[in-house]
Amino acid sequence: MQTLTIGITIRLFKPNSGGLQYHAEELVKRLQQRGHKIIILTRAITRVPSYQDHFYFSEPKGGKFDINGMDVRILRHPKWLNFMTWLVLKCIARPKLKKIGILIYNLIYASDVEKAFKEVDLIHHIGQGSEMIGFAAACAAVKLGVPFVVQPTIHPGQWGDTDIDFFLYRAANRLLAHTEYEMKFFQKNGLKCPISVVGNGIQDRRDGVGLRFRQKHQINGEMILFVGRKEEDKGYPLLLEAFRKIQKNQKNVTLVCMGPGVALGGDDNGIIEIGFASEDEKHDAFAACDIFCMPSEAESFGLVYMEAGLYAKPVIGRKIPVLDELLAKNEAGLLVGQVSGQDNRVSLTSEELACALEFLLDHLESRVRLGQNIQKIAENFVWQNVATQFEAAYSSELEQTPFKKSN
């Protein structure tokens, strides 16, 4: 396709601060490798402000920044405008006042977005409506006469599906969904704009050295791996509880928990706690493990399952809709739990999780079959394939929408 200049807005762009930032960084790198010029506009690069603090926080310096070879620009405001951002926060929490809140926000920021993106062919927002920067991007897109596409970060029933979020999604000329499940959810909730299913990307890495990881941590026997934030929503405490149950019958198995957060495993026999780890060590851990398990309560896609899948490792997860679509229907993962109600929450007990772990530990042939199946699925989501899907979505919008850039 023709080379494009693309403006990307995102609430936060601080690499190594979370999965969304990792995704954005990798997407930008892949698009740049294909010859596209990318300008990233964000509110924060030096720290991760909380939701409410995000309305008041402003970087001390503006201008252009080179972050890992990417053109990043700051959307900031002087402190004397904090009263106005406070008004925005209060207004968007009230349905009758949300349009006023959006108007105030755009008065503060939209002209700066327009200036930063004056040469772009298309504006791509990554995130939700509640973060507000997307509304300024939508306003700028109208003034510049370029398409506005939104890539929502959503898990229906839990985040990204509030009234203010849908208000932003309805402003988009096109939505970029991660899965068919997301696309159907948007359509069911009345969104009429075109929707492209683009997936999500992983690095095509299978170079981890399992023996190096096992020797470093003195691991013998079978190994279960968890990679993620050590928090309840990722299923970390639940996994610890389930592991302690299986230790009664499985004497030679080790649980490795890798990721940020408060370690609860302590010095328990058979549990190894690792905090932040390099990408190389993470891939060594994937290569070393026999089972990958992360019983997360919600995922917008579940990249880490796919990363493990490239190593043909069987995965255990909660039966949430996105994993059900990507894994269960292809017999590429062992998904457990019971779906409750209409909010897509999946209840899961430590006993149920322990049974799943013991089943795979006791059935090598099932581990091999699941590992081979997920590897085939994961290969569809290496970045060179996913970047092509984003390019196709951009091309479709530019061809189908009669926009004319303003001079």
Side-chain angles (χ1 to χ4, degrees), residues 61-77:
K61 295 181 180 179
K64 301 180 182 180
F65 296 83
D66 183 305
I67 299 179
N68 298 335
M70 292 169 283
D71 180 356
V72 182
R73 306 181 188 187
I74 306 301
L75 194 62
R76 59 190 300 272
H77 68 266

Side-chain angles (χ1 to χ4, degrees), residues 84-385:
M84 300 292 285
T85 58
W86 175 83
L87 279 178
V88 172
L89 180 62
K90 296 302 179 182
C91 286
I92 64 171
R94 295 165 173 79
K96 293 183 178 181
L97 298 178
K98 70 175 182 294
K99 290 185 179 180
I100 296 176
I102 294 168
L103 176 61
I104 296 171
Y105 193 91
N106 287 346
L107 286 173
I108 299 171
Y109 292 118
S111 62
D112 289 336
V113 178
E114 185 180 350
K115 291 175 184 177
F117 287 163
K118 62 182 178 180
E119 300 298 329
V120 305
D121 299 295
L122 175 144
I123 297 177
H124 172 183
H125 175 67
I126 303 174
Q128 307 165 1
S130 57
E131 299 161 344
M132 297 306 293
I133 187 174
F135 289 106
C139 181
V142 171
K143 292 183 178 180
L144 292 168
V146 299
F148 176 59
V149 302
V150 176
Q151 180 186 345
T153 52
I154 182 173
H155 187 275
Q158 297 188 36
W159 68 74
D161 61 353
T162 65
D163 184 57
I164 192 73
D165 296 320
F166 270 89
F167 202 77
L168 175 67
Y169 305 155
R170 285 191 288 271
N173 300 110
R174 179 177 296 267
L175 293 180
L176 307 180
H178 295 132
T179 61
E180 295 284 338
Y181 165 71
E182 276 189 8
M183 179 183 71
K184 292 175 182 177
F185 175 80
F186 292 134
Q187 292 172 336
K188 182 180 178 181
N189 283 272
L191 294 182
K192 304 298 185 183
C193 69
I195 302 175
S196 298
V197 178
V198 293
N200 211 331
I202 55 173
Q203 291 185 346
D204 190 4
R205 287 196 61 173
R206 311 175 210 200
D207 57 350
V209 182
L211 181 60
R212 178 167 59 197
F213 188 87
R214 284 177 170 265
Q215 289 178 339
K216 177 180 178 179
H217 298 282
Q218 299 180 352
I219 297 173
N220 297 307
E222 290 164 309
M223 171 182 155
I224 301 167
L225 176 65
F226 169 95
V227 177
R229 288 180 287 103
K230 292 173 181 172
E231 296 179 6
E232 186 174 357
D233 68 320
K234 289 297 182 182
Y236 166 66
L238 184 70
L239 176 57
L240 291 179
E241 187 177 344
F243 181 73
R244 292 183 181 115
K245 292 181 186 300
I246 70 170
Q247 281 184 301
K248 299 173 183 177
N249 300 319
Q250 306 286 341
K251 302 298 183 183
N252 194 28
V253 61
T254 300
L255 171 64
V256 175
C257 297
M258 177 182 290
V262 179
L264 302 176
D267 296 323
D268 285 2
N269 181 40
I271 300 176
I272 296 175
E273 294 280 11
I274 301 172
F276 279 106
S278 67
E279 282 293 300
D280 287 342
E281 185 169 18
K282 182 178 75 171
H283 282 273
D284 284 355
F286 284 136
C289 75
D290 297 285
I291 299 170
F292 177 81
C293 180
M294 188 176 75
S296 178
E297 295 178 357
E299 294 290 333
S300 62
F301 188 81
L303 290 175
V304 70
Y305 303 95
M306 296 300 175
E307 289 181 311
L310 279 183
Y311 287 88
K313 302 299 181 176
V315 304
I316 296 176
R318 203 176 295 235
K319 194 176 175 62
I320 55 178
V322 63
L323 296 184
D324 199 39
E325 174 187 329
L326 296 173
L327 303 181
K329 72 177 183 181
N330 298 295
E331 296 185 359
L334 182 55
L335 304 183
V336 289
Q338 302 296 322
V339 179
S340 57
Q342 299 297 315
D343 61 359
N344 298 307
R345 295 184 183 273
V346 179
S347 61
L348 178 63
T349 67
S350 60
E351 289 80 9
E352 290 172 317
L353 185 57
C355 286
L357 289 167
E358 286 207 279
F359 175 81
L360 287 189
L361 288 169
D362 291 338
H363 294 84
L364 177 60
E365 70 282 1
S366 294
R367 299 207 305 260
V368 172
R369 176 176 56 83
L370 289 172
Q372 291 173 342
N373 288 347
I374 193 174
Q375 188 176 57
K376 294 175 184 177
I377 301 301
E379 286 171 346
N380 295 322
F381 297 105
V382 296
W383 266 113
Q384 53 263 44
N385 295 333

